[in-house]
């Protein structure tokens, strides 16, 4: 099946793009190989994020930021645009790939449990771990998810915490949430994200990666398809339901680039829910696609210093990598940069 995948390693301040370039490309190659072999967009999106979670350099899965108590607490979510089914998990410390649990929960939304009980959409903590074990997902010791990078970062900030006036400013960590968006030629789209949360977060904190409408959103319509995954300060993204707002606006726009810019400006930076803030940090990776003619557009936007992303079509031989940066004269957190890249898939016969 022909399709397109795009991934990102988080909005922040990229100090060394080399390690993110490699994992972005690996994720794209893995996802497109699945699509070529007849896999679904849900398969491809999950596989791409698994690559990002396993890298050790990203803030998701192995390598996640540590809480104030030096624990790993991961979260992830995924949404399928055709069925509109969604699954998420949060505050999990021993699941190797949180996105895989989110995917299981997403798929099982259409199947009632025994005695006609409604299946869970979001699971957390010990309940999530128990469910993951029942689903034969890989369970590990919590310390196995702590990378050397995460431990070093924790020690640095924990030992020098008195130097920082605001512990929850996104500048504390170079990278944030990872995510992926995928679409096939029939218009089946999926969006997903995974995160370890902010460095030194309070234990039990839930971010946008496990929040409905904030971390990822996907919608398939007969004449238009859109999907997005967000990154940045979770509290800001949750207050504005940015993922859902982006997709809703893209589905009814005439110019995707203008639409994304306006959404970030009017519904994020200038949102009444964030009016007390001088700087608002966030980003998004989005796709919009017309299944009638095969025309699509990859879009990305961020108010942070940078955003690393990769993308690939099943028609391409090699994936592409982009390090998107704000102009030097722009103050991070106060304005947004928006860019796009068109792609084309063969029209279904």
């Amino acid at each position: 099946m022909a399709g397109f995948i795009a991934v990102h390693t988080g909005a922040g301040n990229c100090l060394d793009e080399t390690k993110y370039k490699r994992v972005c490309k690996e994720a794209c190659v893995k996802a497109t190989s699945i699509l070529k072999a007849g896999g679904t967009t849900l398969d491809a999106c999950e596989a791409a994020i698994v690559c990002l979670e396993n890298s050790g350099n990203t803030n998701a899965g192995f390598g996640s930021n540590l809480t104030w108590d030096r624990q790993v607490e991961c979260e992830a979510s995924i949404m399928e645009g055709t069925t509109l089914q969604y699954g998420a998990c949060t505050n999990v410390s021993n699941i190797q790939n949180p996105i895989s649990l989110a995917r299981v929960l997403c798929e099982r939304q259409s199947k009632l449990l025994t005695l006609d009980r409604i299946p869970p959409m979001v699971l957390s903590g010990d309940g999530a771990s128990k469910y993951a074990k029942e689903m034969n997902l890989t369970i590990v010791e919590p310390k196995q998810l702590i990378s050397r990078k995460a431990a070093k970062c924790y020690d640095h900030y924990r030992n020098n915490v008195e130097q920082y006036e605001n512990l929850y400013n996104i500048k504390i960590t170079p990278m944030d949430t990872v995510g992926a968006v995928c679409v096939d030629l029939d218009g089946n789209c999926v969006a997903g994200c995974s995160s370890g949360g902010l460095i030194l977060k309070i234990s039990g904190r839930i971010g946008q990666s496990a929040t409905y409408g904030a971390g990822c959103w996907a919608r398939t319509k007969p004449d238009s398809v859109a999907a997005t995954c967000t990154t940045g300060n979770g509290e800001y993204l949750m207050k504005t339901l940015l993922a859902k707002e982006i997709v809703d606006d893209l589905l009814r726009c005439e110019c995707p680039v203008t639409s994304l810019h306006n959404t970030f400006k009017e519904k994020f930076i200038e949102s009444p829910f964030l009016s007390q803030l001088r700087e608002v940090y966030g980003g998004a990776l989005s796709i919009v696609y017309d299944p009638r003619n095969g025309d699509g557009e990859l879009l990305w936007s961020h108010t942070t210093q940078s955003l690393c992303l990769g993308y690939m079509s099943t028609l391409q031989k090699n994936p592409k990598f982009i390090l998107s940066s704000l102009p030097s004269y722009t103050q991070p957190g106060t304005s947004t940069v928006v860019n796009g890249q068109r792609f084309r898939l063969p029209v279904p016969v």
Side-chain angles (χ1 to χ4, degrees), residues 9-18 20-21 24 174-175 300 302 304-311 320-326 337 339:
T9 54
N13 182 20
C14 183
L15 303 177
D16 179 10
E17 67 179 270
T18 305
Y20 301 111
K21 182 177 182 179
C24 280
M175 292 285 113
W300 59 92
H302 54 98
T304 56
Q305 189 63 53
S306 63
L307 175 68
C308 295
L309 62 111
Y311 63 90
K320 302 292 184 182
F321 176 81
I322 293 175
L323 172 60
S324 177
S325 302
L326 283 176
V337 58
N339 280 304

Side-chain angles (χ1 to χ4, degrees), residues 114-303:
T114 57
L115 302 178
D116 290 337
R117 291 174 298 151
I118 297 174
M121 186 170 74
V122 183
L123 289 177
S124 68
D126 292 340
S129 296
K130 181 179 179 181
Y131 189 86
K133 188 174 182 180
E134 292 174 354
M135 295 297 106
N136 295 317
L137 300 181
T138 303
I139 304 297
V140 298
E141 288 296 321
K143 62 182 181 181
Q144 290 181 248
L145 295 180
I146 301 177
S147 69
R148 183 177 300 178
K149 178 210 71 170
K152 183 177 180 180
C153 184
Y154 171 86
D155 291 340
H156 171 75
Y157 287 110
R158 189 68 169 85
N159 293 334
N160 297 280
V161 70
E162 67 275 5
Q163 299 179 25
Y164 299 90
E165 295 180 354
N166 184 358
L167 297 183
Y168 299 101
N169 190 307
I170 198 172
K171 293 177 183 176
I172 279 182
T173 179
M175 292 285 113
D176 191 23
T177 309
V178 305
V181 287
C182 184
V183 66
D184 65 21
L185 62 86
D186 291 327
N188 299 302
C189 68
V190 174
C193 56
S194 181
S195 179
L198 297 176
I199 183 71
L200 301 184
K201 67 178 180 178
I202 295 174
S203 182
R205 178 253 190 189
I206 297 174
Q208 97 279 2
S209 292
T211 301
Y212 191 70
C216 65
W217 200 257
R219 187 78 188 272
T220 296
K221 290 187 174 183
D223 59 346
S224 185
V225 172
T228 192
C229 52
T230 65
T231 170
N233 188 303
E235 282 68 22
Y236 303 167
L237 300 166
M238 289 188 287
K239 286 182 177 181
T240 56
L241 291 177
L242 187 61
K244 184 177 185 301
E245 293 284 4
I246 288 173
V247 169
D248 286 348
D249 290 345
L250 285 174
L251 286 173
R252 56 174 176 255
C253 77
E254 294 185 1
C255 176
V257 172
T258 300
S259 173
L260 187 56
H261 178 271
N262 289 340
T263 304
F264 257 81
K265 182 176 184 294
E266 299 169 7
K267 299 181 179 179
F268 188 60
I269 297 175
E270 298 175 357
S271 169
F273 298 102
L274 306 177
S275 60
Q276 302 302 313
L277 301 169
R278 291 184 298 175
E279 299 174 350
V280 179
Y281 297 97
L285 184 65
S286 311
I287 50 175
V288 58
Y289 175 72
D290 188 339
R292 298 170 300 179
N293 57 27
D295 289 335
E297 190 159 359
L298 170 67
L299 305 157
W300 59 92
S301 182
H302 54 98
T303 66

Side-chain angles (χ1 to χ4, degrees), residues 83-140:
T83 63
L84 300 182
Q85 291 181 182
Y86 172 94
C89 61
T90 185
N91 291 328
V92 294
S93 301
N94 63 346
I95 300 174
Q96 181 170 314
N97 295 112
I99 191 64
S100 295
L101 174 55
R103 186 256 171 87
V104 169
L105 291 169
C106 176
E107 279 192 309
R108 295 172 72 88
Q109 280 296 295
S110 59
K111 303 175 182 177
L112 291 176
L113 304 178
T114 57
L115 302 178
D116 290 337
R117 291 174 298 151
I118 297 174
M121 186 170 74
V122 183
L123 289 177
S124 68
D126 292 340
S129 296
K130 181 179 179 181
Y131 189 86
K133 188 174 182 180
E134 292 174 354
M135 295 297 106
N136 295 317
L137 300 181
T138 303
I139 304 297
V140 298

Side-chain angles (χ1 to χ4, degrees), residues 18-50:
T18 305
K19 51 191 176 184
Y20 301 111
K21 182 177 182 179
R22 182 176 64 253
V23 71
C24 280
K25 288 188 172 183
E26 289 175 356
C28 289
V29 170
K30 179 65 175 178
T32 52
S33 66
I34 288 174
L35 291 172
K36 290 178 182 178
T40 66
T41 51
L42 197 60
D43 296 329
C45 187
E46 178 197 3
I49 296 178
V50 165

Side-chain angles (χ1 to χ4, degrees), residues 35-70:
L35 291 172
K36 290 178 182 178
T40 66
T41 51
L42 197 60
D43 296 329
C45 187
E46 178 197 3
I49 296 178
V50 165
C51 285
L52 300 175
E53 289 178 335
N54 290 344
S55 78
N57 291 317
T58 62
N59 174 27
F62 174 62
S64 291
N65 283 332
L66 304 182
T67 68
W68 182 265
D69 301 321
R70 206 178 187 278

